[in-house]
Amino acid sequence: MRAQTPMPRGQGNDPENDQERDGGLATAAAKPELKPPSMFKVLLLNDDFTPMEFVVHILEKFFAMNREKATQIMLTVHTEGAATVGIYPRDVAETKSELVNLYAQENNHPLMSTIEMTD
Ligand code: TYC
């Protein structure tokens, strides 16, 4: 049997006890932030000049697609004018789109990507 020493106020060891944790102050529990982040599509736009092989390379390099998937998406952009190539939180989508545009520019191709909020 353990000896029971009285516990002074506010020095308990129960982490679930708000009053002890807050040093005796009455505090409101924080509202839990449960909203998932808005998601953004990265779109690839067609143009008349960028070589198909370069577009396939972009999709492999920045969107981790295998050659077959990259070729299929490239042809969708070519025939439809644009296609979604990935969906990410805003900062990731912005970064990917900017990296694609920079890389195309560095390689002297007019290829453009842009982002759009999902519904
Ligand atoms: N239309 C281009 C061509 O005929 C190919 C292309 C595909 C360009 C997709 C851009 O996002 C693009 N060479």
Side-chain angles (χ1 to χ4, degrees), residues 44-52 55 74 77-78 111:
L44 206 55
L45 310 180
N46 189 36
D47 66 72
D48 292 339
F49 305 103
T50 304
M52 291 184 172
V55 180
M74 180 278 294
V77 179
H78 177 70
L111 177 71

Side-chain angles (χ1 to χ4, degrees), residues 49-61:
F49 305 103
T50 304
M52 291 184 172
E53 183 51 40
F54 183 78
V55 180
V56 170
H57 170 63
I58 288 267
L59 293 171
E60 290 173 332
K61 181 177 173 69

Side-chain angles (χ1 to χ4, degrees), residues 59-72:
L59 293 171
E60 290 173 332
K61 181 177 173 69
F62 294 102
F63 299 95
M65 292 182 197
N66 61 33
R67 182 151 290 254
E68 190 184 345
K69 179 77 183 168
T71 302
Q72 179 203 316

Side-chain angles (χ1 to χ4, degrees), residues 104-115:
Q105 210 169 50
E106 285 165 6
N107 287 277
N108 302 310
H109 297 306
L111 177 71
M112 287 291 296
S113 77
T114 188
I115 72 170

Side-chain angles (χ1 to χ4, degrees), residues 10-109:
Q11 292 185 25
N13 59 1
D14 178 3
E16 295 298 314
N17 185 325
D18 281 357
Q19 256 200 320
E20 285 177 354
R21 195 185 53 237
D22 299 332
L25 283 177
T27 56
K31 174 171 163 275
E33 187 46 81
L34 295 175
K35 258 193 313 133
S38 302
M39 299 296 276
F40 285 72
K41 297 183 272 192
V42 176
L43 300 172
L44 206 55
L45 310 180
N46 189 36
D47 66 72
D48 292 339
F49 305 103
T50 304
M52 291 184 172
E53 183 51 40
F54 183 78
V55 180
V56 170
H57 170 63
I58 288 267
L59 293 171
E60 290 173 332
K61 181 177 173 69
F62 294 102
F63 299 95
M65 292 182 197
N66 61 33
R67 182 151 290 254
E68 190 184 345
K69 179 77 183 168
T71 302
Q72 179 203 316
I73 299 286
M74 180 278 294
L75 287 172
T76 302
V77 179
H78 177 70
T79 55
E80 306 284 323
T84 299
V85 298
I87 300 179
Y88 309 95
R90 185 201 288 265
D91 55 344
V92 178
E94 277 173 356
T95 301
K96 290 223 180 236
S97 176
E98 284 167 9
L99 286 174
V100 165
N101 294 344
L102 262 178
Y103 189 74
Q105 210 169 50
E106 285 165 6
N107 287 277
N108 302 310
H109 297 306

